[in-house]
Amino acid sequence: MAGRNDTCTNRTALVTGGSRGIGLATAIALARRGDNVVITHKSELPGSTQDLINSLNGSSSVDAGGKPQLEVPKASAPGATPGTAQVVAPGTIVAVQCDVRSDDDISSLFDHVEAEFGYASIIVANAGIVADTLLLRMGQPAWDDVIDTNLTGVFRILKRGVQPMVRKRHGKVVLVSSVAAFLGSPGQVNYASAKAGLVGMGRSLARELAGRNINVNIVAPGIVNTGMISALGEAKLKQLVGSIPLGRMASPEEIAHVIAFLTSDDASYVTGAVIPVDGGMAMGL
Amino acid sequence: MSDDAIFEKLSQCAVDVLQVPPDKVVKEARFSDDLDADSLDLVELVMALEEAFGISVDESELDGIETVGEAYDLVKSKL
């Protein structure tokens, strides 16, 4: 099975916005299956993330020796049969400071990746910010910042990052959109516009790159238990969770597992797809 | 750089990027029909030429370039 071999090769993945939340959970999931992972972070790396990375890089077993640990089930290896767990040496996680609004940062990011690992055959464009307020109160900077980071930042990353994939005729790209792109979200005109834009970007790119054996897919998470939801407030959060058929938020790992699948060879025939991971929140849209 | 050297270098880029045999890269060859190049191939070729010759090619300059000879003329005009 393709997926079996897939977990053994030492590939390199780039995960933007990887210092926490969905990005960090994704980095860990990919490293656990053997990929080397470069995460980008804009602001200073949180101490807890650095500790976590150190413990993951320092141990070849799942036990991180009492260090803070995210819950990432080991059984995520696709195609693995119970009782025949294969030993996969985990990949290394490297953190690089990079603001996706800066061409210079992106240029040195890829120089770093290519010097250290060759090239990134997997890109997870996850970096994103929020600047929530109702349209009538939304200043131009709140619009510009969110579009520049969440939409144009992805354009910048892909424009550079896809080049070696095209040359190598191999690659997996996942764009992290949002349920807000489909449902709309009051106070998030900027965010929802950027996230909806990623759908068009991803599908167009899927068509452009299909002939080069590069899969481009979009994941649309719903309400995920990360730092980003703290901006919502308790009442709003309760109301939102009430509208989720599964009746709860997602953990970041539940999004990461889907991204891990889409970036595995088990998903070789999936491209241009928008995969909702939202507990049923936006089904049918 | 001599004309022959320019063509040789261009030809090498085309062989590498388009994965065609060197003897098919003649000035009369059409990228789409004779060399089976799609639009992304051509973008890759332009990028390879930019790197190999240290030149910069604007999108607008690519209009109407359909043969190897036309690409050669464009490159030569920029050296």
Side-chain angles (χ1 to χ4, degrees), chain B residues 14-29:
Chain B
V15 167
D16 289 345
V17 173
L18 307 178
Q19 299 180 348
V20 290
D23 60 345
K24 286 189 79 174
V25 186
V26 292
K27 286 194 178 174
E28 300 72 35

Side-chain angles (χ1 to χ4, degrees), chain A residues 163 166-167 169 208-209 211-212, chain B residues 17 19 38 40-41 44 47 51:
Chain A
Q163 283 177 32
V166 168
R167 241 174 271 137
R169 303 283 193 269
E208 285 191 15
L209 301 180
R212 298 300 188 275
Chain B
V17 173
Q19 299 180 348
D38 66 14
L40 189 51
D41 286 321
E44 279 189 84
M47 290 168 73
E51 201 175 309

Side-chain angles (χ1 to χ4, degrees), chain A residues 127-264:
Chain A
I129 58 168
V130 287
D132 296 355
T133 188
L134 297 176
L135 172 70
L136 294 179
R137 301 287 298 166
M138 188 176 287
Q140 185 81 31
W143 170 267
D144 289 343
D145 286 351
V146 169
I147 297 296
D148 201 12
T149 300
N150 297 12
L151 184 62
T152 316
V154 177
F155 161 78
R156 291 189 193 97
I157 286 282
L158 295 180
K159 186 170 159 58
R160 175 62 181 80
V162 153
Q163 283 177 32
M165 292 185 186
V166 168
R167 241 174 271 137
K168 303 272 184 187
R169 303 283 193 269
H170 179 73
K172 307 277 185 192
V173 175
V174 174
L175 310 185
V176 180
S177 177
S178 165
V179 71
F182 306 100
L183 279 180
S185 175
Q188 295 197 304
V189 160
N190 48 5
Y191 183 81
S193 299
K195 293 301 190 183
L198 292 181
V199 175
M201 187 192 295
R203 285 174 166 165
S204 300
L205 196 59
R207 290 186 188 278
E208 285 191 15
L209 301 180
R212 298 300 188 275
N213 190 31
I214 298 169
N215 303 51
V216 183
N217 290 293
I218 300 107
V219 166
I223 310 299
V224 186
N225 193 2
T226 68
M228 205 176 255
I229 57 161
S230 59
L232 287 170
E234 208 163 305
K236 173 79 175 160
L237 184 60
K238 204 173 165 197
Q239 181 211 334
L240 282 171
V241 170
S243 73
I244 302 172
L246 285 181
R248 61 176 179 83
M249 290 186 275
S251 70
E253 290 75 25
E254 287 176 305
I255 314 301
H257 292 159
V258 176
I259 296 173
F261 165 68
L262 289 171
T263 55
S264 74

Side-chain angles (χ1 to χ4, degrees), chain A residues 54-90:
Chain A
N54 290 345
S55 69
L56 286 166
N57 288 346
S59 68
S60 56
S61 73
V62 175
D63 178 17
K67 292 274 173 58
Q69 207 178 356
L70 288 195
E71 199 185 313
V72 180
K74 199 185 176 189
S76 64
T81 319
T84 59
Q86 61 179 137
V87 180
V88 176

Side-chain angles (χ1 to χ4, degrees), chain B:
Chain B
M1 195 184 295
S2 73
D3 289 0
D4 282 352
I6 295 170
F7 188 82
E8 180 56 35
K9 204 167 176 178
L10 181 148
S11 172
Q12 191 56 52
C13 287
V15 167
D16 289 345
V17 173
L18 307 178
Q19 299 180 348
V20 290
D23 60 345
K24 286 189 79 174
V25 186
V26 292
K27 286 194 178 174
E28 300 72 35
R30 302 177 72 81
F31 288 111
S32 55
D33 303 332
D34 302 322
L35 302 180
D36 206 21
D38 66 14
S39 55
L40 189 51
D41 286 321
L42 295 179
V43 170
E44 279 189 84
L45 179 58
V46 171
M47 290 168 73
L49 293 174
E50 287 180 326
E51 201 175 309
F53 289 97
I55 58 175
S56 169
V57 180
D58 196 73
E59 288 302 309
S60 61
E61 296 174 285
L62 297 173
D63 282 349
I65 301 229
E66 289 176 0
T67 67
V68 172
E70 287 161 355
Y72 165 82
D73 290 338
L74 177 67
V75 168
K76 198 179 161 198
S77 73
K78 290 186 166 281
L79 294 175

